[in-house]
Amino acid sequence: MIALTNITKEYPGKVLFKDASLRIGDHERVAIVGPNGAGKSTLMKIITGEIESDSGEIAQSRANTVGYLPQDGVVHSGRTLFDEASTAFDDIIALHDRIDQLSEEISRLSANADTAEANAARDAMQKKIEELGEIQHALEHREGWNIQTRVAQVLSGLGFHEKDFRRPTEEFSGGWQMRIALAKLLLREPTILLLDEPTNHLDLDALQWLEEYLQNYEYSIVLISHDRRFLDNMVQRTVEVSGGSMTEYAGNYSYFIEQKALRMEQLRAAQANQQQQIKQTRQFIDRFRYKATKARQVQSRVKMLEKMELIEIEDEEGGISFDFPEPPPPGRILMELKDLDKSFGDLSLFRGLDFTIERGDRIAFLGVNGTGKSTLARIIAGIEPYQDGERTPGHNVSIGYFAQNQAEELDPSKTVFQTLDDIAVGEIRKRLRTLLGCFMFSGDDVDKRVSVLSGGEKSRLALAKMLLTPSNLLILDEPTNHLDMRSKTVLQDALSRYEGSFVIVSHDRDFLEPLLNKCIDFKDGQVRETLGTVSDYLLKRAGEDDGQERRGVAGQTLQRKEAQHSGRDRKREEAENRQARYKRLKPLKNKIERLEKEIEALEENKSGIERALADEATYRDEEKARDLTWRYKEAGETLARAYEEWEKLQIEMDAIDKEFGK
């Protein structure tokens, strides 16, 4: 357990936390959410002791061990991958060394058991044997006898191949360096695991493996992530960091969004009521200020206004949106690749690849890192050479391309605003500040020079710049890596309204889900197509068996083997039915669980009002009695609506069960 009490942290011109408190219990799953710059990463560093708070206290159990994965900046060198990952078990390796040492000492003492110092030797040997037993018990508890197996399992789960195990760590790129750091943390098994954007450098397979691993993790986990689906699958409590405070919600990210919207609605209503009350009070003061018979009432209301704590609502950033410029009309075929070969030295990525993008295609490139997704995206964009084959753009095709390294091509001498203003044409010039707001540049940020921007800020600016040029084929390579939830939603909404075609390289399932009509999977030098969304792709992949053959050509339908055994088809159909039923029931069950908690709170609130109304003292204050009566009526109506909604959900669930024969 760890508890932060009245934590304050300020930087010049910005308050991150003001008397904020947070408690993380044993075996908890907590998400830290909020806009970029709100202080999420700083909060994690305060917990680890890497940064000191300006005031407040941190208390934790002596048994705590804290493990922290930062967003980036971790570099390993001097060891092989396997040896570096094995350093997570340095303490266990030390126990093995101690066992060897004790065994030698026990053997030596045993040889002296018949000497004149026999009693002393036997006593010393007994103590050594007891220590040896304790160490062996500790090793059994921590599975210290199969270190190599555990290291291999975690490295493989995170996407490393066995041939990588003996490679020096300095040969791995930045994203793989972060995977090494994550592997070491998972193997170390701290009692509080702090993960800051752990999915940024993972492909879909590694992400799914990590989810399953963390769901079975024995200790507490605190997550910062902009992957909504990941958070929904992982956490039971969400802490919002915003405006100098921390607000807790007893649910996952989707529950937080719903409850925050409800809370904001209540705050707006309360603020409106308060402003109306203030207006009426001021009107009374102005009307009777100079009337002697009302002097006492006037003074009373003046004091009431002075003591009133105003309800303030944080600036809401919702409602911002943008649309891509209208794309020029293309022909039916936008891009055609024929018999294409691509390799890097001895590594062959594609051989004889045929791939076609047609008007209206909305495609995701999926697969493990290193299989050629980004390479093929660059070939389509026309910026990556290839050894053989044909690349034929369609009639009137204009391509917009975004990748993370494009940020380095920005002019460092220009400001953020100038970067867009220099290329913007037409009506969009009037909305440049709105567009920049979508990508988290607000206020004085737009006047910053590109040279002082962080890597993430440069990437966001490069993405915004690309979106100003009318294109009918967008190639987006990991466009969401440096976007917060709000910015991702803005981009997602704009892409859903976009009239052109696009190819997106991404592992962000929630971002991709509503956008796609095709998924292209990369594996073992082959590519295959699945029609539909990421969910359709995952469902199909889950139902496949090892004996199936598939075509190695994107743009063509998947070739299936005829079923060898009728039972296999039946089991697959049953599995698909179970998954379909679960997919439809899960959101309803989540809603019912949240609604039942809400009903419990509403009933408690109504009971509290009833107790107040039953108190004779209440009626000595006419205004208070009137307010309680109004609140009691409102509580009853709200509770009735909640019960009605609960009944509707139950009926809907019964209908689904009936549909699936349950």
Side-chain angles (χ1 to χ4, degrees):
M1 185 275 290
I2 188 166
L4 284 68
T5 306
N6 297 329
I7 295 296
T8 296
K9 185 63 182 177
E10 300 182 26
Y11 291 106
K14 185 162 188 176
V15 177
L16 292 183
F17 317 116
K18 184 72 172 177
D19 296 328
S21 298
L22 174 66
R23 182 184 181 279
I24 301 167
D26 295 334
H27 314 294
E28 280 205 288
R29 303 288 189 269
V30 182
I32 308 294
V33 302
N36 281 7
K40 303 187 296 296
S41 297
T42 300
L43 177 61
M44 279 196 170
K45 291 175 182 177
I46 288 174
I47 293 173
T48 64
E50 187 175 330
I51 291 178
E52 289 189 9
S53 61
D54 298 332
S55 62
E57 296 180 356
I58 301 178
Q60 59 178 310
S61 165
R62 291 183 179 180
N64 270 0
T65 53
V66 178
Y68 171 55
L69 180 76
Q71 286 189 32
D72 49 37
V74 178
V75 178
H76 304 88
S77 63
R79 295 188 180 94
T80 65
L81 168 63
F82 196 91
D83 289 343
E84 183 64 43
S86 299
T87 61
F89 297 110
D90 279 350
D91 57 335
I92 291 181
I93 293 172
L95 292 178
H96 280 291
D97 292 341
R98 180 58 178 160
I99 284 178
D100 292 340
Q101 182 182 356
L102 286 171
S103 298
E104 291 180 7
E105 292 175 357
I106 290 170
S107 177
R108 188 181 66 253
L109 290 168
S110 177
N112 295 330
D114 297 328
T115 65
E117 296 84 13
N119 289 335
R122 281 194 294 270
D123 290 343
M125 186 169 63
Q126 183 61 35
K127 290 180 180 179
K128 302 290 184 185
I129 292 172
E130 289 174 359
E131 184 183 353
L132 182 63
E134 291 174 358
I135 292 175
Q136 289 174 332
H137 179 73
L139 287 173
E140 288 172 5
H141 177 70
R142 293 196 55 191
E143 299 181 42
W145 302 105
N146 60 345
I147 290 176
Q148 291 188 337
T149 301
R150 292 170 65 189
V151 171
Q153 286 174 342
V154 170
L155 288 177
S156 298
L158 290 175
F160 293 98
H161 298 290
E162 188 172 350
K163 62 184 179 182
D164 296 324
F165 289 0
R166 295 304 163 195
R167 286 176 58 191
T169 52
E170 52 265 30
E171 291 183 3
F172 292 95
S173 64
W176 291 97
Q177 291 280 351
M178 296 309 299
R179 293 197 196 200
I180 297 171
L182 177 57
K184 290 167 63 178
L185 271 182
L186 298 180
L187 291 166
R188 192 172 293 138
E189 294 188 340
T191 58
I192 298 181
L193 187 58
L194 307 173
L195 303 178
D196 193 346
E197 295 288 0
T199 68
N200 266 2
H201 306 285
L202 301 183
D203 52 57
L204 194 56
D205 285 355
L207 173 56
Q208 289 184 294
W209 179 88
L210 179 63
E211 271 190 12
E212 184 177 350
Y213 188 95
L214 293 180
Q215 284 166 350
N216 295 310
Y217 193 71
E218 184 177 354
Y219 306 108
S220 298
I221 302 172
V222 182
L223 289 170
I224 296 173
S225 178
H226 292 147
D227 186 328
R228 177 170 179 164
R229 185 77 61 89
F230 181 67
L231 291 180
D232 275 350
N233 292 344
M234 288 304 309
V235 306
Q236 302 107 13
R237 185 157 66 99
T238 302
V239 178
E240 182 188 27
V241 178
S242 182
S245 63
M246 285 185 270
T247 307
E248 297 192 20
Y249 297 83
N252 63 14
Y253 186 82
S254 291
Y255 176 79
F256 151 70
I257 290 295
E258 293 175 6
Q259 291 301 306
K260 183 179 180 181
L262 179 63
R263 176 173 165 265
M264 294 304 295
E265 184 179 339
Q266 293 170 340
L267 276 176
R268 282 191 292 268
Q271 187 186 54
N273 288 335
Q274 186 183 63
Q275 290 301 314
Q276 180 64 24
Q277 182 184 0
I278 291 172
K279 179 181 176 181
Q280 292 172 349
T281 302
R282 285 175 175 165
Q283 287 175 343
F284 181 92
I285 293 171
D286 292 341
R287 182 179 178 186
F288 298 108
R289 184 184 299 275
Y290 303 107
K291 194 168 184 178
T293 57
K294 297 287 187 179
R296 179 175 296 178
Q297 292 95 319
V298 168
Q299 288 301 313
S300 174
R301 281 164 173 75
V302 169
K303 290 180 180 178
M304 182 185 73
L305 287 180
E306 291 174 349
K307 294 179 180 179
M308 184 178 291
E309 186 173 339
L310 295 179
I311 297 173
E312 297 182 354
I313 300 177
E314 64 192 63
D315 292 335
E316 293 183 81
E317 298 172 318
I320 297 176
S321 65
F322 79 94
D323 288 292
F324 291 93
E326 185 175 351
R332 185 179 68 84
I333 302 297
L334 277 72
M335 183 65 62
E336 192 169 16
L337 307 179
K338 285 187 177 181
D339 203 24
L340 188 134
D341 293 349
K342 175 62 182 178
S343 59
F344 293 98
D346 296 333
L347 175 63
S348 176
L349 285 181
F350 310 113
R351 185 167 295 280
L353 175 70
D354 293 339
F355 183 64
T356 301
I357 301 175
E358 299 182 355
R359 185 175 59 238
D361 278 350
R362 306 163 80 82
I363 301 169
F365 282 178
L366 305 173
V368 299
N369 287 357
T371 53
K373 303 187 299 294
S374 295
T375 301
L376 187 57
R378 291 195 299 271
I379 290 172
I380 295 170
I383 61 175
E384 179 74 36
Y386 47 92
Q387 281 76 30
D388 200 4
E390 298 179 12
R391 172 188 177 274
T392 308
H395 171 68
N396 202 31
V397 168
S398 58
I399 296 176
Y401 174 70
F402 169 80
Q404 301 297 328
N405 58 7
Q406 276 189 296
E408 303 308 318
E409 298 178 9
L410 299 172
D411 186 340
S413 66
K414 291 182 179 179
T415 67
V416 169
F417 186 84
Q418 286 171 340
T419 300
L420 299 194
D421 191 48
D422 286 352
I423 63 169
V425 294
E427 288 296 313
I428 192 65
R429 294 196 68 185
K430 301 176 183 178
R431 303 181 62 241
L432 288 183
R433 291 184 181 272
T434 300
L435 176 60
L436 286 168
C438 295
F439 291 94
M440 301 150 55
F441 294 103
S442 59
D444 294 339
D445 291 340
V446 302
D447 297 320
K448 288 182 179 178
R449 298 283 176 189
V450 171
S451 58
V452 302
L453 299 181
S454 67
E457 288 172 327
K458 289 178 180 177
S459 291
R460 298 200 304 272
L461 183 58
L463 179 57
K465 180 181 177 183
M466 185 212 74
L467 302 180
L468 286 176
T469 305
S471 306
N472 48 35
L473 176 57
L474 296 178
I475 312 296
L476 306 175
D477 193 351
E478 297 290 0
T480 65
N481 266 6
H482 296 285
L483 301 183
D484 63 9
M485 294 286 196
R486 180 182 65 95
S487 301
K488 284 203 300 186
T489 300
V490 169
L491 179 59
Q492 185 185 61
D493 290 343
L495 284 169
S496 68
R497 296 189 297 270
Y498 176 57
E499 296 179 3
S501 302
F502 55 72
V503 173
I504 302 178
V505 181
S506 177
H507 62 264
D508 192 324
R509 296 159 295 176
D510 193 68
F511 176 77
L512 293 173
E513 185 66 23
L515 299 176
L516 307 178
N517 56 27
K518 288 182 181 179
C519 295
I520 305 298
D521 183 19
F522 291 64
K523 189 174 183 181
D524 299 330
Q526 301 292 316
V527 292
R528 59 177 181 173
E529 173 188 294
T530 299
L531 296 178
T533 67
V534 176
S535 293
D536 296 320
Y537 159 75
L538 292 174
L539 185 62
K540 176 177 282 189
R541 196 174 71 170
E544 291 172 352
D545 61 77
D546 294 336
Q548 287 180 314
E549 294 179 353
R550 55 188 180 223
R551 290 184 179 177
V553 180
Q556 298 177 333
T557 57
L558 179 67
Q559 182 184 42
R560 295 178 178 273
K561 287 181 72 176
E562 292 184 359
Q564 299 276 332
H565 306 287
S566 60
R568 183 181 300 165
D569 287 340
R570 178 179 53 78
K571 289 180 180 179
R572 182 163 57 246
E573 185 177 348
E574 289 175 355
E576 289 175 352
N577 282 336
R578 285 195 301 272
Q579 290 171 346
R581 175 175 173 267
Y582 173 78
K583 187 176 180 180
R584 291 176 62 184
L585 284 177
K586 185 179 179 182
L588 296 177
K589 287 181 178 179
N590 290 342
K591 286 182 180 179
I592 285 176
E593 289 177 3
R594 292 194 291 269
L595 195 56
E596 287 175 345
K597 291 180 181 179
E598 186 179 334
I599 287 172
E600 185 179 348
L602 288 169
E603 288 176 338
E604 186 176 340
N605 176 54
K606 186 180 177 185
S607 298
I609 297 173
E610 287 174 345
R611 288 193 295 271
L613 287 172
D615 188 350
E616 293 182 4
T618 297
Y619 299 94
R620 296 174 192 153
D621 186 334
E622 184 178 341
E623 187 176 346
K624 180 180 179 182
R626 187 165 52 247
D627 178 63
L628 281 171
T629 302
W630 176 82
R631 285 171 53 196
Y632 183 71
K633 179 183 177 183
E634 184 182 47
E637 292 173 350
T638 304
L639 192 57
R641 288 194 296 271
Y643 277 127
E644 184 179 350
E645 178 66 19
W646 185 86
E647 290 175 1
K648 288 180 180 177
L649 291 171
Q650 290 289 352
I651 292 171
E652 194 172 345
M653 286 185 64
D654 291 342
I656 292 172
D657 279 336
K658 189 174 181 181
E659 180 182 337
F660 284 90
K662 298 294 182 179

PDB file of all heavy atoms in Angstrom, residues 100-120:
ATOM      1  N   ASP A 100      25.608 -22.235  -3.084  1.00  0.00           N
ATOM      2  CA  ASP A 100      26.894 -22.883  -3.402  1.00  0.00           C
ATOM      3  C   ASP A 100      27.888 -22.688  -2.255  1.00  0.00           C
ATOM      4  O   ASP A 100      28.609 -23.626  -1.866  1.00  0.00           O
ATOM      5  CB  ASP A 100      27.463 -22.294  -4.690  1.00  0.00           C
ATOM      6  CG  ASP A 100      26.624 -22.657  -5.908  1.00  0.00           C
ATOM      7  OD1 ASP A 100      25.855 -23.628  -5.829  1.00  0.00           O
ATOM      8  OD2 ASP A 100      26.736 -21.945  -6.936  1.00  0.00           O
ATOM      9  N   GLN A 101      27.901 -21.465  -1.723  1.00  0.00           N
ATOM     10  CA  GLN A 101      28.825 -21.166  -0.630  1.00  0.00           C
ATOM     11  C   GLN A 101      28.479 -21.991   0.609  1.00  0.00           C
ATOM     12  O   GLN A 101      29.363 -22.567   1.270  1.00  0.00           O
ATOM     13  CB  GLN A 101      28.770 -19.675  -0.312  1.00  0.00           C
ATOM     14  CG  GLN A 101      29.736 -19.239   0.780  1.00  0.00           C
ATOM     15  CD  GLN A 101      29.605 -17.745   1.094  1.00  0.00           C
ATOM     16  OE1 GLN A 101      28.853 -17.023   0.450  1.00  0.00           O
ATOM     17  NE2 GLN A 101      30.353 -17.293   2.092  1.00  0.00           N
ATOM     18  N   LEU A 102      27.173 -22.043   0.950  1.00  0.00           N
ATOM     19  CA  LEU A 102      26.743 -22.814   2.127  1.00  0.00           C
ATOM     20  C   LEU A 102      27.052 -24.301   1.955  1.00  0.00           C
ATOM     21  O   LEU A 102      27.446 -24.977   2.920  1.00  0.00           O
ATOM     22  CB  LEU A 102      25.245 -22.609   2.360  1.00  0.00           C
ATOM     23  CG  LEU A 102      24.833 -21.255   2.944  1.00  0.00           C
ATOM     24  CD1 LEU A 102      23.318 -21.105   2.903  1.00  0.00           C
ATOM     25  CD2 LEU A 102      25.334 -21.106   4.390  1.00  0.00           C
ATOM     26  N   SER A 103      26.859 -24.808   0.757  1.00  0.00           N
ATOM     27  CA  SER A 103      27.119 -26.235   0.510  1.00  0.00           C
ATOM     28  C   SER A 103      28.581 -26.568   0.776  1.00  0.00           C
ATOM     29  O   SER A 103      28.898 -27.613   1.376  1.00  0.00           O
ATOM     30  CB  SER A 103      26.750 -26.596  -0.929  1.00  0.00           C
ATOM     31  OG  SER A 103      25.372 -26.385  -1.155  1.00  0.00           O
ATOM     32  N   GLU A 104      29.473 -25.681   0.331  1.00  0.00           N
ATOM     33  CA  GLU A 104      30.899 -25.903   0.584  1.00  0.00           C
ATOM     34  C   GLU A 104      31.198 -25.849   2.085  1.00  0.00           C
ATOM     35  O   GLU A 104      31.963 -26.678   2.614  1.00  0.00           O
ATOM     36  CB  GLU A 104      31.717 -24.844  -0.146  1.00  0.00           C
ATOM     37  CG  GLU A 104      31.700 -24.982  -1.663  1.00  0.00           C
ATOM     38  CD  GLU A 104      32.521 -23.901  -2.351  1.00  0.00           C
ATOM     39  OE1 GLU A 104      33.201 -23.138  -1.620  1.00  0.00           O
ATOM     40  OE2 GLU A 104      32.485 -23.820  -3.594  1.00  0.00           O
ATOM     41  N   GLU A 105      30.586 -24.859   2.783  1.00  0.00           N
ATOM     42  CA  GLU A 105      30.852 -24.721   4.220  1.00  0.00           C
ATOM     43  C   GLU A 105      30.304 -25.908   4.998  1.00  0.00           C
ATOM     44  O   GLU A 105      30.945 -26.397   5.947  1.00  0.00           O
ATOM     45  CB  GLU A 105      30.229 -23.419   4.723  1.00  0.00           C
ATOM     46  CG  GLU A 105      30.907 -22.165   4.171  1.00  0.00           C
ATOM     47  CD  GLU A 105      30.192 -20.883   4.584  1.00  0.00           C
ATOM     48  OE1 GLU A 105      29.143 -20.983   5.255  1.00  0.00           O
ATOM     49  OE2 GLU A 105      30.683 -19.788   4.244  1.00  0.00           O
ATOM     50  N   ILE A 106      29.119 -26.398   4.611  1.00  0.00           N
ATOM     51  CA  ILE A 106      28.532 -27.561   5.290  1.00  0.00           C
ATOM     52  C   ILE A 106      29.403 -28.795   5.068  1.00  0.00           C
ATOM     53  O   ILE A 106      29.631 -29.597   5.981  1.00  0.00           O
ATOM     54  CB  ILE A 106      27.092 -27.803   4.782  1.00  0.00           C
ATOM     55  CG1 ILE A 106      26.170 -26.684   5.298  1.00  0.00           C
ATOM     56  CG2 ILE A 106      26.572 -29.171   5.247  1.00  0.00           C
ATOM     57  CD1 ILE A 106      24.794 -26.695   4.657  1.00  0.00           C
ATOM     58  N   SER A 107      29.906 -28.941   3.854  1.00  0.00           N
ATOM     59  CA  SER A 107      30.781 -30.082   3.547  1.00  0.00           C
ATOM     60  C   SER A 107      32.046 -30.031   4.394  1.00  0.00           C
ATOM     61  O   SER A 107      32.500 -31.052   4.931  1.00  0.00           O
ATOM     62  CB  SER A 107      31.130 -30.065   2.053  1.00  0.00           C
ATOM     63  OG  SER A 107      32.012 -31.109   1.736  1.00  0.00           O
ATOM     64  N   ARG A 108      32.617 -28.833   4.552  1.00  0.00           N
ATOM     65  CA  ARG A 108      33.836 -28.682   5.342  1.00  0.00           C
ATOM     66  C   ARG A 108      33.565 -28.960   6.814  1.00  0.00           C
ATOM     67  O   ARG A 108      34.344 -29.646   7.492  1.00  0.00           O
ATOM     68  CB  ARG A 108      34.389 -27.267   5.166  1.00  0.00           C
ATOM     69  CG  ARG A 108      35.785 -27.087   5.805  1.00  0.00           C
ATOM     70  CD  ARG A 108      36.321 -25.690   5.647  1.00  0.00           C
ATOM     71  NE  ARG A 108      35.540 -24.712   6.386  1.00  0.00           N
ATOM     72  CZ  ARG A 108      34.707 -23.828   5.855  1.00  0.00           C
ATOM     73  NH1 ARG A 108      34.537 -23.797   4.533  1.00  0.00           N
ATOM     74  NH2 ARG A 108      34.034 -22.982   6.611  1.00  0.00           N
ATOM     75  N   LEU A 109      32.437 -28.441   7.327  1.00  0.00           N
ATOM     76  CA  LEU A 109      32.096 -28.671   8.737  1.00  0.00           C
ATOM     77  C   LEU A 109      31.794 -30.143   8.995  1.00  0.00           C
ATOM     78  O   LEU A 109      32.088 -30.673  10.072  1.00  0.00           O
ATOM     79  CB  LEU A 109      30.888 -27.807   9.129  1.00  0.00           C
ATOM     80  CG  LEU A 109      31.153 -26.298   9.212  1.00  0.00           C
ATOM     81  CD1 LEU A 109      29.837 -25.530   9.321  1.00  0.00           C
ATOM     82  CD2 LEU A 109      32.051 -25.985  10.427  1.00  0.00           C
ATOM     83  N   SER A 110      31.191 -30.791   8.015  1.00  0.00           N
ATOM     84  CA  SER A 110      30.880 -32.219   8.166  1.00  0.00           C
ATOM     85  C   SER A 110      32.156 -33.041   8.318  1.00  0.00           C
ATOM     86  O   SER A 110      32.203 -34.020   9.064  1.00  0.00           O
ATOM     87  CB  SER A 110      30.085 -32.704   6.951  1.00  0.00           C
ATOM     88  OG  SER A 110      29.833 -34.087   7.044  1.00  0.00           O
ATOM     89  N   ALA A 111      33.210 -32.618   7.638  1.00  0.00           N
ATOM     90  CA  ALA A 111      34.489 -33.333   7.723  1.00  0.00           C
ATOM     91  C   ALA A 111      35.115 -33.179   9.099  1.00  0.00           C
ATOM     92  O   ALA A 111      35.920 -34.021   9.523  1.00  0.00           O
ATOM     93  CB  ALA A 111      35.441 -32.811   6.652  1.00  0.00           C
ATOM     94  N   ASN A 112      34.762 -32.107   9.819  1.00  0.00           N
ATOM     95  CA  ASN A 112      35.323 -31.861  11.149  1.00  0.00           C
ATOM     96  C   ASN A 112      34.431 -32.385  12.260  1.00  0.00           C
ATOM     97  O   ASN A 112      34.677 -32.129  13.437  1.00  0.00           O
ATOM     98  CB  ASN A 112      35.535 -30.356  11.360  1.00  0.00           C
ATOM     99  CG  ASN A 112      36.575 -29.799  10.414  1.00  0.00           C
ATOM    100  OD1 ASN A 112      37.496 -30.516  10.014  1.00  0.00           O
ATOM    101  ND2 ASN A 112      36.433 -28.525  10.053  1.00  0.00           N
ATOM    102  N   ALA A 113      33.374 -33.115  11.899  1.00  0.00           N
ATOM    103  CA  ALA A 113      32.396 -33.545  12.904  1.00  0.00           C
ATOM    104  C   ALA A 113      32.989 -34.526  13.907  1.00  0.00           C
ATOM    105  O   ALA A 113      32.477 -34.668  15.016  1.00  0.00           O
ATOM    106  CB  ALA A 113      31.188 -34.188  12.216  1.00  0.00           C
ATOM    107  N   ASP A 114      34.069 -35.221  13.549  1.00  0.00           N
ATOM    108  CA  ASP A 114      34.645 -36.218  14.447  1.00  0.00           C
ATOM    109  C   ASP A 114      35.884 -35.709  15.172  1.00  0.00           C
ATOM    110  O   ASP A 114      36.570 -36.470  15.842  1.00  0.00           O
ATOM    111  CB  ASP A 114      35.014 -37.482  13.646  1.00  0.00           C
ATOM    112  CG  ASP A 114      33.790 -38.138  13.031  1.00  0.00           C
ATOM    113  OD1 ASP A 114      32.717 -38.053  13.652  1.00  0.00           O
ATOM    114  OD2 ASP A 114      33.931 -38.699  11.917  1.00  0.00           O
ATOM    115  N   THR A 115      36.166 -34.441  15.025  1.00  0.00           N
ATOM    116  CA  THR A 115      37.341 -33.869  15.673  1.00  0.00           C
ATOM    117  C   THR A 115      36.995 -33.409  17.077  1.00  0.00           C
ATOM    118  O   THR A 115      35.857 -33.528  17.540  1.00  0.00           O
ATOM    119  CB  THR A 115      37.874 -32.686  14.858  1.00  0.00           C
ATOM    120  OG1 THR A 115      36.892 -31.645  14.876  1.00  0.00           O
ATOM    121  CG2 THR A 115      38.149 -33.098  13.415  1.00  0.00           C
ATOM    122  N   ALA A 116      38.014 -32.820  17.741  1.00  0.00           N
ATOM    123  CA  ALA A 116      37.805 -32.338  19.113  1.00  0.00           C
ATOM    124  C   ALA A 116      36.781 -31.219  19.158  1.00  0.00           C
ATOM    125  O   ALA A 116      36.112 -31.014  20.174  1.00  0.00           O
ATOM    126  CB  ALA A 116      39.146 -31.858  19.699  1.00  0.00           C
ATOM    127  N   GLU A 117      36.670 -30.494  18.051  1.00  0.00           N
ATOM    128  CA  GLU A 117      35.699 -29.391  18.012  1.00  0.00           C
ATOM    129  C   GLU A 117      34.369 -29.864  17.434  1.00  0.00           C
ATOM    130  O   GLU A 117      33.633 -29.096  16.799  1.00  0.00           O
ATOM    131  CB  GLU A 117      36.234 -28.231  17.159  1.00  0.00           C
ATOM    132  CG  GLU A 117      37.482 -27.572  17.704  1.00  0.00           C
ATOM    133  CD  GLU A 117      38.750 -28.320  17.300  1.00  0.00           C
ATOM    134  OE1 GLU A 117      38.641 -29.194  16.410  1.00  0.00           O
ATOM    135  OE2 GLU A 117      39.801 -28.055  17.887  1.00  0.00           O
ATOM    136  N   ALA A 118      34.029 -31.149  17.652  1.00  0.00           N
ATOM    137  CA  ALA A 118      32.855 -31.739  17.011  1.00  0.00           C
ATOM    138  C   ALA A 118      31.572 -31.001  17.368  1.00  0.00           C
ATOM    139  O   ALA A 118      30.737 -30.729  16.498  1.00  0.00           O
ATOM    140  CB  ALA A 118      32.741 -33.210  17.390  1.00  0.00           C
ATOM    141  N   ASN A 119      31.373 -30.684  18.654  1.00  0.00           N
ATOM    142  CA  ASN A 119      30.118 -30.024  19.067  1.00  0.00           C
ATOM    143  C   ASN A 119      29.953 -28.670  18.390  1.00  0.00           C
ATOM    144  O   ASN A 119      28.880 -28.336  17.877  1.00  0.00           O
ATOM    145  CB  ASN A 119      30.084 -29.862  20.585  1.00  0.00           C
ATOM    146  CG  ASN A 119      29.903 -31.196  21.283  1.00  0.00           C
ATOM    147  OD1 ASN A 119      29.362 -32.131  20.690  1.00  0.00           O
ATOM    148  ND2 ASN A 119      30.350 -31.279  22.536  1.00  0.00           N
ATOM    149  N   ALA A 120      31.043 -27.888  18.405  1.00  0.00           N
ATOM    150  CA  ALA A 120      30.981 -26.571  17.772  1.00  0.00           C
ATOM    151  C   ALA A 120      30.729 -26.711  16.274  1.00  0.00           C
ATOM    152  O   ALA A 120      29.964 -25.944  15.675  1.00  0.00           O
ATOM    153  CB  ALA A 120      32.279 -25.802  18.025  1.00  0.00           C
TER     154      ALA A 120
END
